[in-house]
């Protein structure tokens, strides 16, 4: 429970193979501890970001994800991971302009990390089903 990497990796795969009920249950199980932390500690930017990232990557509860990612960025406006999450949430919600702006801000703050440039290209291509680039290639 609470492992966002499990949710991000398995929820879309379960759904792709026709196991929506199991995907929903796994997502709920992984996101709930972070949502509880957000309720108990509303200034915990990391938990707000975790909820938003899982939601965006699993394409669930995107309106709620937007509120969480905006809170994370409000709390720590220079955190490039939170800006990337903001970009992904906007992208999954269909707001490409805001997605591009958030990703460009992440690149401004961390220009040497190639992941953000690759992510920007993905966002510019406007294909929400395209795979995200690997995050650990730098």
């Amino acid at each position: 429970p609470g492992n966002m990497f499990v949710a991000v990796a398995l929820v879309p795969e379960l759904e792709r193979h026709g196991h929506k009920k199991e995907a929903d249950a796994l997502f709920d199980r992984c996101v709930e501890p972070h949502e509880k932390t957000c309720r108990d500690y509303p200034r915990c930017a990391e938990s707000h970001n975790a909820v938003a990232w899982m939601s965006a990557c699993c394409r669930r509860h995107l309106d709620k994800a937007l509120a969480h990612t905006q809170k994370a960025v409000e709390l720590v406006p220079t955190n490039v991971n939170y800006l990337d999450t903001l970009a992904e949430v906007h992208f999954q919600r269909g707001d490409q302009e805001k997605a591009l702006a958030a990703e460009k801000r992440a690149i401004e703050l961390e220009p040497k990390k190639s992941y953000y440039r690759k992510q920007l290209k993905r966002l510019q291509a406007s294909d929400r089903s395209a795979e995200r680039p690997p995050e650990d290639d730098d």
Side-chain angles (χ1 to χ4, degrees):
N3 188 319
M4 80 172 150
F5 302 106
V6 169
V8 168
L10 297 180
V11 168
E13 284 299 307
L14 283 167
E15 195 159 354
R16 190 170 67 86
H17 287 90
H19 299 282
K20 183 168 177 13
K21 182 178 176 186
E22 291 86 351
D24 289 342
L26 179 60
F27 177 81
D28 291 344
R29 186 172 181 194
C30 290
V31 81
E32 174 51 34
H34 297 284
E35 288 180 330
K36 181 179 184 327
T37 300
C38 291
R39 288 189 301 272
D40 293 347
Y41 304 96
R43 296 188 52 80
C44 181
E46 184 63 34
S47 287
H48 285 291
N49 187 67
V51 171
W53 185 249
M54 278 188 277
S55 299
C57 293
C58 297
R59 296 184 180 103
R60 283 168 166 68
H61 313 293
L62 296 175
D63 291 339
K64 187 189 304 186
L66 181 61
H68 279 288
T69 192
Q70 288 173 329
K71 183 64 174 178
V73 171
E74 173 190 317
L75 291 166
V76 190
T78 58
N79 185 303
V80 292
N81 292 324
Y82 301 170
L83 289 165
D84 180 56
T85 299
L86 179 62
E88 188 67 32
V89 170
H90 280 309
F91 185 61
Q92 293 302 327
R93 294 180 80 242
D95 193 337
Q96 188 173 12
E97 185 177 317
K98 288 182 181 178
L100 293 172
E103 201 65 42
K104 287 175 182 176
R105 178 68 179 134
I107 292 168
E108 287 173 12
L109 293 170
E110 199 160 324
K112 292 182 180 179
K113 185 155 180 158
S114 67
Y115 166 77
Y116 300 116
R117 290 188 304 280
K118 291 175 185 174
Q119 180 73 322
L120 181 64
K121 286 182 183 177
R122 177 178 158 261
L123 300 177
Q124 289 169 329
S126 195
D127 179 3
R128 288 195 294 259
S129 65
E131 285 191 37
R132 289 178 314 281
E135 294 180 53
D136 58 358
D137 64 348
D138 287 322

